[in-house]
Amino acid sequence: MPNYIRAYVPGGSYFFTVALLERRRCLLTENIDTLREAFRSVKKQRPFKIEAIVILHDHLHCIWTLPPNDTDFSTRWRLIKTSFSRSIIPGERLSTRRQFKQERGIWQRRFWEHAIRNQKDFDNHTDYIHYNPVKHGLVKRVADWPYSSFHDFVRLGQYPLEWAAPVVTLGRDLE
């Protein structure tokens, strides 16, 4: 097994990408309330702040800030994945290895993590999170994707509603 080098910063902020094993499935958006409950449940046990988040059909991106002197994001992700998986009716394809280990085949085993270094890094990752539904061709405007903290950022005045929206010429001849 490879040795993963993770940056553990007590009370740090981290960008994460977490994906389903079968990337063509839409389990996350089809079961959004179950996913939200998994997050709520884990946050009660092991507090953390979700700074920004987007849930797509088969993966999610988010930024968390952990409490001071806490670096344990891995346990939080394990608990979220487990809670979500236990609430989903079995039926996914299982490899021989997963069958042997009695594992579900919902999530990829690992996740991508990046320790946020400064405000510019935070802002860049927040923009990436919110633009992701447009990047994947799910919507034309960031504001049209319902499973995103973008709407909270608009309410707080941190983004205009039309942030990153395509320019509409409204039938004007630009030549």
Side-chain angles (χ1 to χ4, degrees):
M1 182 169 164
N3 292 326
Y4 289 95
I5 299 173
R6 298 214 186 262
Y8 292 104
V9 180
S13 294
Y14 298 88
F15 168 82
F16 298 100
T17 298
V18 182
L20 295 178
L21 181 61
E22 296 180 42
R23 294 299 297 261
R24 290 189 176 103
R25 298 188 76 184
C26 297
L27 284 179
L28 300 182
T29 51
E30 289 173 354
N31 298 280
I32 193 69
D33 291 333
T34 302
L35 184 61
R36 287 177 175 147
E37 183 52 38
F39 271 91
R40 272 192 293 273
S41 172
V42 172
K43 282 178 71 175
K44 283 181 189 172
Q45 298 171 46
R46 294 175 174 266
F48 61 96
K49 181 179 181 190
I50 299 173
E51 303 284 357
I53 191 166
V54 67
I55 311 295
L56 303 177
H57 300 309
D58 61 356
H59 70 285
L60 64 89
H61 300 288
C62 58
I63 298 173
W64 293 356
T65 298
L66 298 179
N69 301 316
D70 191 342
T71 61
D72 191 9
F73 49 78
S74 293
T75 297
R76 287 171 172 88
W77 277 119
R78 180 179 50 79
L79 293 170
I80 289 167
K81 288 176 168 186
T82 300
S83 175
F84 181 80
S85 296
R86 286 184 177 153
S87 299
I88 301 298
I89 297 169
E92 67 274 8
R93 183 187 62 76
L94 294 174
S95 67
T96 304
R97 181 178 170 94
R98 286 192 187 252
Q99 289 174 29
F100 177 76
K101 294 180 98 179
Q102 297 182 328
E103 292 179 351
R104 295 289 305 266
I106 293 177
W107 297 99
Q108 289 183 0
R109 282 198 175 95
R110 302 208 181 5
F111 53 84
W112 168 258
E113 145 271 324
H114 164 80
I116 300 293
R117 296 181 301 271
N118 54 39
Q119 188 63 48
K120 185 175 190 307
D121 194 28
F122 181 92
D123 293 344
N124 288 341
H125 281 86
T126 300
D127 289 350
Y128 178 83
I129 286 168
H130 293 140
Y131 191 73
N132 217 249
V134 175
K135 174 187 167 196
H136 287 282
L138 299 170
V139 291
K140 292 206 182 296
R141 298 175 338 129
V142 173
D144 293 338
W145 189 251
Y147 312 116
S148 171
S149 59
F150 174 76
H151 308 285
D152 297 327
F153 279 64
V154 169
R155 266 192 300 282
L156 294 171
Q158 295 172 317
Y159 283 114
L161 182 62
E162 293 303 317
W163 177 80
V167 176
V168 178
T169 61
L170 301 176
R172 295 186 186 119
D173 185 359
L174 300 178
E175 292 186 21

PDB file of all heavy atoms in Angstrom, residues 2 6 19 27 37 56 59 75 79 84 92-93 97 101 115 120 134-135 153 163 168-169 173:
ATOM      1  N   PRO A   2       0.596   2.218  -0.858  1.00  0.00           N
ATOM      2  CA  PRO A   2       1.432   3.415  -0.919  1.00  0.00           C
ATOM      3  C   PRO A   2       1.354   4.201   0.393  1.00  0.00           C
ATOM      4  O   PRO A   2       0.355   4.165   1.090  1.00  0.00           O
ATOM      5  CB  PRO A   2       0.841   4.219  -2.064  1.00  0.00           C
ATOM      6  CG  PRO A   2      -0.302   3.471  -2.600  1.00  0.00           C
ATOM      7  CD  PRO A   2      -0.495   2.237  -1.805  1.00  0.00           C
ATOM      8  N   ARG A   6       0.114  13.338   3.938  1.00  0.00           N
ATOM      9  CA  ARG A   6      -0.954  14.311   4.117  1.00  0.00           C
ATOM     10  C   ARG A   6      -0.432  15.463   4.970  1.00  0.00           C
ATOM     11  O   ARG A   6       0.386  15.265   5.847  1.00  0.00           O
ATOM     12  CB  ARG A   6      -2.161  13.666   4.781  1.00  0.00           C
ATOM     13  CG  ARG A   6      -2.771  12.543   3.950  1.00  0.00           C
ATOM     14  CD  ARG A   6      -4.271  12.523   4.147  1.00  0.00           C
ATOM     15  NE  ARG A   6      -4.911  11.395   3.499  1.00  0.00           N
ATOM     16  CZ  ARG A   6      -5.500  11.455   2.305  1.00  0.00           C
ATOM     17  NH1 ARG A   6      -5.477  12.566   1.612  1.00  0.00           N
ATOM     18  NH2 ARG A   6      -6.091  10.403   1.802  1.00  0.00           N
ATOM     19  N   ALA A  19     -15.268  11.059  -4.275  1.00  0.00           N
ATOM     20  CA  ALA A  19     -15.981  10.554  -5.450  1.00  0.00           C
ATOM     21  C   ALA A  19     -16.586   9.177  -5.223  1.00  0.00           C
ATOM     22  O   ALA A  19     -16.076   8.378  -4.430  1.00  0.00           O
ATOM     23  CB  ALA A  19     -15.033  10.498  -6.642  1.00  0.00           C
ATOM     24  N   LEU A  27     -25.891   8.868  -7.409  1.00  0.00           N
ATOM     25  CA  LEU A  27     -26.323   8.602  -6.028  1.00  0.00           C
ATOM     26  C   LEU A  27     -26.326   9.832  -5.130  1.00  0.00           C
ATOM     27  O   LEU A  27     -27.181   9.939  -4.253  1.00  0.00           O
ATOM     28  CB  LEU A  27     -25.430   7.539  -5.390  1.00  0.00           C
ATOM     29  CG  LEU A  27     -25.657   6.099  -5.794  1.00  0.00           C
ATOM     30  CD1 LEU A  27     -24.663   5.194  -5.081  1.00  0.00           C
ATOM     31  CD2 LEU A  27     -27.079   5.675  -5.494  1.00  0.00           C
ATOM     32  N   GLU A  37     -27.884  14.473   5.854  1.00  0.00           N
ATOM     33  CA  GLU A  37     -28.011  13.911   7.202  1.00  0.00           C
ATOM     34  C   GLU A  37     -26.708  13.280   7.662  1.00  0.00           C
ATOM     35  O   GLU A  37     -26.335  13.384   8.832  1.00  0.00           O
ATOM     36  CB  GLU A  37     -29.151  12.893   7.259  1.00  0.00           C
ATOM     37  CG  GLU A  37     -29.392  12.321   8.640  1.00  0.00           C
ATOM     38  CD  GLU A  37     -29.570  13.370   9.728  1.00  0.00           C
ATOM     39  OE1 GLU A  37     -30.197  14.430   9.480  1.00  0.00           O
ATOM     40  OE2 GLU A  37     -29.075  13.137  10.860  1.00  0.00           O
ATOM     41  N   LEU A  56     -22.150  17.168  -6.742  1.00  0.00           N
ATOM     42  CA  LEU A  56     -22.512  16.792  -8.104  1.00  0.00           C
ATOM     43  C   LEU A  56     -23.073  15.375  -8.055  1.00  0.00           C
ATOM     44  O   LEU A  56     -23.187  14.780  -6.982  1.00  0.00           O
ATOM     45  CB  LEU A  56     -21.302  16.900  -9.018  1.00  0.00           C
ATOM     46  CG  LEU A  56     -20.653  18.286  -9.057  1.00  0.00           C
ATOM     47  CD1 LEU A  56     -19.430  18.284  -9.937  1.00  0.00           C
ATOM     48  CD2 LEU A  56     -21.626  19.339  -9.502  1.00  0.00           C
ATOM     49  N   HIS A  59     -19.657  13.036  -7.441  1.00  0.00           N
ATOM     50  CA  HIS A  59     -18.557  13.479  -6.592  1.00  0.00           C
ATOM     51  C   HIS A  59     -18.910  14.798  -5.937  1.00  0.00           C
ATOM     52  O   HIS A  59     -19.921  15.422  -6.276  1.00  0.00           O
ATOM     53  CB  HIS A  59     -17.235  13.577  -7.373  1.00  0.00           C
ATOM     54  CG  HIS A  59     -17.156  14.675  -8.368  1.00  0.00           C
ATOM     55  ND1 HIS A  59     -17.807  14.654  -9.585  1.00  0.00           N
ATOM     56  CD2 HIS A  59     -16.484  15.842  -8.333  1.00  0.00           C
ATOM     57  CE1 HIS A  59     -17.527  15.748 -10.263  1.00  0.00           C
ATOM     58  NE2 HIS A  59     -16.721  16.491  -9.519  1.00  0.00           N
ATOM     59  N   THR A  75     -11.096  10.542   9.778  1.00  0.00           N
ATOM     60  CA  THR A  75     -12.180   9.868  10.512  1.00  0.00           C
ATOM     61  C   THR A  75     -13.524  10.477  10.153  1.00  0.00           C
ATOM     62  O   THR A  75     -14.513   9.759   9.984  1.00  0.00           O
ATOM     63  CB  THR A  75     -11.943   9.947  12.035  1.00  0.00           C
ATOM     64  OG1 THR A  75     -10.735   9.252  12.335  1.00  0.00           O
ATOM     65  CG2 THR A  75     -13.096   9.325  12.805  1.00  0.00           C
ATOM     66  N   LEU A  79     -16.663   8.375   8.589  1.00  0.00           N
ATOM     67  CA  LEU A  79     -17.984   8.354   9.213  1.00  0.00           C
ATOM     68  C   LEU A  79     -19.075   8.848   8.250  1.00  0.00           C
ATOM     69  O   LEU A  79     -20.179   8.294   8.220  1.00  0.00           O
ATOM     70  CB  LEU A  79     -17.974   9.182  10.496  1.00  0.00           C
ATOM     71  CG  LEU A  79     -17.128   8.628  11.634  1.00  0.00           C
ATOM     72  CD1 LEU A  79     -16.995   9.660  12.756  1.00  0.00           C
ATOM     73  CD2 LEU A  79     -17.719   7.318  12.150  1.00  0.00           C
ATOM     74  N   PHE A  84     -23.713   7.426   4.995  1.00  0.00           N
ATOM     75  CA  PHE A  84     -24.405   7.497   3.709  1.00  0.00           C
ATOM     76  C   PHE A  84     -24.617   6.098   3.139  1.00  0.00           C
ATOM     77  O   PHE A  84     -25.728   5.741   2.741  1.00  0.00           O
ATOM     78  CB  PHE A  84     -23.609   8.359   2.729  1.00  0.00           C
ATOM     79  CG  PHE A  84     -24.255   8.509   1.387  1.00  0.00           C
ATOM     80  CD1 PHE A  84     -25.280   9.422   1.187  1.00  0.00           C
ATOM     81  CD2 PHE A  84     -23.829   7.745   0.302  1.00  0.00           C
ATOM     82  CE1 PHE A  84     -25.876   9.568  -0.055  1.00  0.00           C
ATOM     83  CE2 PHE A  84     -24.423   7.884  -0.946  1.00  0.00           C
ATOM     84  CZ  PHE A  84     -25.450   8.799  -1.122  1.00  0.00           C
ATOM     85  N   GLU A  92     -25.100  -2.172  -5.764  1.00  0.00           N
ATOM     86  CA  GLU A  92     -23.954  -1.771  -6.578  1.00  0.00           C
ATOM     87  C   GLU A  92     -23.100  -2.986  -6.931  1.00  0.00           C
ATOM     88  O   GLU A  92     -23.154  -4.014  -6.268  1.00  0.00           O
ATOM     89  CB  GLU A  92     -23.100  -0.724  -5.839  1.00  0.00           C
ATOM     90  CG  GLU A  92     -22.386  -1.225  -4.613  1.00  0.00           C
ATOM     91  CD  GLU A  92     -23.219  -1.193  -3.337  1.00  0.00           C
ATOM     92  OE1 GLU A  92     -24.426  -0.928  -3.389  1.00  0.00           O
ATOM     93  OE2 GLU A  92     -22.639  -1.454  -2.279  1.00  0.00           O
ATOM     94  N   ARG A  93     -22.321  -2.845  -7.988  1.00  0.00           N
ATOM     95  CA  ARG A  93     -21.400  -3.890  -8.410  1.00  0.00           C
ATOM     96  C   ARG A  93     -20.289  -3.978  -7.363  1.00  0.00           C
ATOM     97  O   ARG A  93     -19.744  -2.979  -6.920  1.00  0.00           O
ATOM     98  CB  ARG A  93     -20.824  -3.510  -9.775  1.00  0.00           C
ATOM     99  CG  ARG A  93     -19.895  -4.540 -10.375  1.00  0.00           C
ATOM    100  CD  ARG A  93     -19.231  -4.015 -11.645  1.00  0.00           C
ATOM    101  NE  ARG A  93     -18.407  -2.849 -11.446  1.00  0.00           N
ATOM    102  CZ  ARG A  93     -17.182  -2.852 -10.899  1.00  0.00           C
ATOM    103  NH1 ARG A  93     -16.650  -3.965 -10.483  1.00  0.00           N
ATOM    104  NH2 ARG A  93     -16.502  -1.735 -10.783  1.00  0.00           N
ATOM    105  N   ARG A  97     -12.572  -8.380  -4.250  1.00  0.00           N
ATOM    106  CA  ARG A  97     -11.896  -7.837  -3.065  1.00  0.00           C
ATOM    107  C   ARG A  97     -12.888  -7.185  -2.107  1.00  0.00           C
ATOM    108  O   ARG A  97     -12.821  -7.389  -0.896  1.00  0.00           O
ATOM    109  CB  ARG A  97     -10.824  -6.844  -3.487  1.00  0.00           C
ATOM    110  CG  ARG A  97     -10.047  -6.246  -2.332  1.00  0.00           C
ATOM    111  CD  ARG A  97      -8.963  -5.305  -2.878  1.00  0.00           C
ATOM    112  NE  ARG A  97      -8.353  -4.535  -1.836  1.00  0.00           N
ATOM    113  CZ  ARG A  97      -7.238  -4.884  -1.208  1.00  0.00           C
ATOM    114  NH1 ARG A  97      -6.623  -5.991  -1.531  1.00  0.00           N
ATOM    115  NH2 ARG A  97      -6.730  -4.113  -0.268  1.00  0.00           N
ATOM    116  N   LYS A 101     -13.819  -8.396   1.701  1.00  0.00           N
ATOM    117  CA  LYS A 101     -13.675  -7.486   2.845  1.00  0.00           C
ATOM    118  C   LYS A 101     -15.030  -7.022   3.394  1.00  0.00           C
ATOM    119  O   LYS A 101     -15.071  -6.240   4.321  1.00  0.00           O
ATOM    120  CB  LYS A 101     -12.828  -6.274   2.447  1.00  0.00           C
ATOM    121  CG  LYS A 101     -11.384  -6.630   2.129  1.00  0.00           C
ATOM    122  CD  LYS A 101     -10.595  -5.404   1.743  1.00  0.00           C
ATOM    123  CE  LYS A 101      -9.841  -4.962   2.964  1.00  0.00           C
ATOM    124  NZ  LYS A 101      -8.998  -3.795   2.747  1.00  0.00           N
ATOM    125  N   ALA A 115      -4.291  21.102   1.851  1.00  0.00           N
ATOM    126  CA  ALA A 115      -4.311  22.086   2.938  1.00  0.00           C
ATOM    127  C   ALA A 115      -4.301  23.489   2.329  1.00  0.00           C
ATOM    128  O   ALA A 115      -3.435  23.820   1.516  1.00  0.00           O
ATOM    129  CB  ALA A 115      -3.106  21.895   3.850  1.00  0.00           C
ATOM    130  N   LYS A 120      -5.719  33.701  -0.764  1.00  0.00           N
ATOM    131  CA  LYS A 120      -5.791  33.533  -2.228  1.00  0.00           C
ATOM    132  C   LYS A 120      -6.075  32.072  -2.592  1.00  0.00           C
ATOM    133  O   LYS A 120      -6.904  31.789  -3.466  1.00  0.00           O
ATOM    134  CB  LYS A 120      -4.492  34.003  -2.883  1.00  0.00           C
ATOM    135  CG  LYS A 120      -4.526  33.975  -4.406  1.00  0.00           C
ATOM    136  CD  LYS A 120      -3.246  34.570  -4.963  1.00  0.00           C
ATOM    137  CE  LYS A 120      -3.239  34.827  -6.408  1.00  0.00           C
ATOM    138  NZ  LYS A 120      -3.535  33.952  -7.388  1.00  0.00           N
ATOM    139  N   VAL A 134     -20.848  24.020 -13.836  1.00  0.00           N
ATOM    140  CA  VAL A 134     -20.728  24.568 -15.190  1.00  0.00           C
ATOM    141  C   VAL A 134     -19.620  23.825 -15.931  1.00  0.00           C
ATOM    142  O   VAL A 134     -19.799  23.406 -17.083  1.00  0.00           O
ATOM    143  CB  VAL A 134     -20.451  26.089 -15.157  1.00  0.00           C
ATOM    144  CG1 VAL A 134     -20.217  26.629 -16.566  1.00  0.00           C
ATOM    145  CG2 VAL A 134     -21.589  26.828 -14.479  1.00  0.00           C
ATOM    146  N   LYS A 135     -18.496  23.616 -15.271  1.00  0.00           N
ATOM    147  CA  LYS A 135     -17.366  22.897 -15.866  1.00  0.00           C
ATOM    148  C   LYS A 135     -17.791  21.526 -16.391  1.00  0.00           C
ATOM    149  O   LYS A 135     -17.359  21.099 -17.450  1.00  0.00           O
ATOM    150  CB  LYS A 135     -16.264  22.741 -14.823  1.00  0.00           C
ATOM    151  CG  LYS A 135     -15.095  21.900 -15.264  1.00  0.00           C
ATOM    152  CD  LYS A 135     -14.137  21.664 -14.109  1.00  0.00           C
ATOM    153  CE  LYS A 135     -13.167  20.580 -14.508  1.00  0.00           C
ATOM    154  NZ  LYS A 135     -12.460  20.007 -13.393  1.00  0.00           N
ATOM    155  N   PHE A 153     -23.214  32.161  -0.423  1.00  0.00           N
ATOM    156  CA  PHE A 153     -22.246  33.216  -0.699  1.00  0.00           C
ATOM    157  C   PHE A 153     -22.933  34.428  -1.335  1.00  0.00           C
ATOM    158  O   PHE A 153     -22.569  35.566  -1.042  1.00  0.00           O
ATOM    159  CB  PHE A 153     -21.128  32.687  -1.612  1.00  0.00           C
ATOM    160  CG  PHE A 153     -20.060  31.916  -0.891  1.00  0.00           C
ATOM    161  CD1 PHE A 153     -20.342  30.722  -0.251  1.00  0.00           C
ATOM    162  CD2 PHE A 153     -18.759  32.390  -0.856  1.00  0.00           C
ATOM    163  CE1 PHE A 153     -19.364  30.007   0.410  1.00  0.00           C
ATOM    164  CE2 PHE A 153     -17.756  31.687  -0.195  1.00  0.00           C
ATOM    165  CZ  PHE A 153     -18.063  30.491   0.448  1.00  0.00           C
ATOM    166  N   TRP A 163     -22.457  35.713 -11.100  1.00  0.00           N
ATOM    167  CA  TRP A 163     -21.027  35.423 -11.145  1.00  0.00           C
ATOM    168  C   TRP A 163     -20.762  34.260 -12.108  1.00  0.00           C
ATOM    169  O   TRP A 163     -21.435  33.240 -12.068  1.00  0.00           O
ATOM    170  CB  TRP A 163     -20.518  35.061  -9.748  1.00  0.00           C
ATOM    171  CG  TRP A 163     -19.074  34.683  -9.706  1.00  0.00           C
ATOM    172  CD1 TRP A 163     -18.014  35.530  -9.704  1.00  0.00           C
ATOM    173  CD2 TRP A 163     -18.532  33.358  -9.672  1.00  0.00           C
ATOM    174  NE1 TRP A 163     -16.840  34.819  -9.671  1.00  0.00           N
ATOM    175  CE2 TRP A 163     -17.129  33.476  -9.651  1.00  0.00           C
ATOM    176  CE3 TRP A 163     -19.089  32.083  -9.672  1.00  0.00           C
ATOM    177  CZ2 TRP A 163     -16.278  32.387  -9.624  1.00  0.00           C
ATOM    178  CZ3 TRP A 163     -18.244  30.989  -9.640  1.00  0.00           C
ATOM    179  CH2 TRP A 163     -16.845  31.142  -9.610  1.00  0.00           C
ATOM    180  N   VAL A 168     -24.728  37.340 -22.240  1.00  0.00           N
ATOM    181  CA  VAL A 168     -25.883  37.224 -23.135  1.00  0.00           C
ATOM    182  C   VAL A 168     -26.006  38.527 -23.906  1.00  0.00           C
ATOM    183  O   VAL A 168     -26.031  39.612 -23.325  1.00  0.00           O
ATOM    184  CB  VAL A 168     -27.175  36.956 -22.325  1.00  0.00           C
ATOM    185  CG1 VAL A 168     -28.377  36.880 -23.241  1.00  0.00           C
ATOM    186  CG2 VAL A 168     -27.025  35.693 -21.505  1.00  0.00           C
ATOM    187  N   THR A 169     -26.066  38.436 -25.210  1.00  0.00           N
ATOM    188  CA  THR A 169     -26.125  39.640 -26.032  1.00  0.00           C
ATOM    189  C   THR A 169     -27.557  40.075 -26.299  1.00  0.00           C
ATOM    190  O   THR A 169     -27.784  41.138 -26.843  1.00  0.00           O
ATOM    191  CB  THR A 169     -25.412  39.401 -27.372  1.00  0.00           C
ATOM    192  OG1 THR A 169     -26.063  38.347 -28.058  1.00  0.00           O
ATOM    193  CG2 THR A 169     -23.944  39.098 -27.153  1.00  0.00           C
ATOM    194  N   ASP A 173     -26.625  42.750 -32.520  1.00  0.00           N
ATOM    195  CA  ASP A 173     -25.617  42.459 -33.535  1.00  0.00           C
ATOM    196  C   ASP A 173     -24.322  43.135 -33.117  1.00  0.00           C
ATOM    197  O   ASP A 173     -24.235  44.354 -33.029  1.00  0.00           O
ATOM    198  CB  ASP A 173     -26.097  43.004 -34.893  1.00  0.00           C
ATOM    199  CG  ASP A 173     -25.154  42.626 -36.015  1.00  0.00           C
ATOM    200  OD1 ASP A 173     -24.139  41.973 -35.759  1.00  0.00           O
ATOM    201  OD2 ASP A 173     -25.488  42.982 -37.159  1.00  0.00           O
TER     202      ASP A 173
END
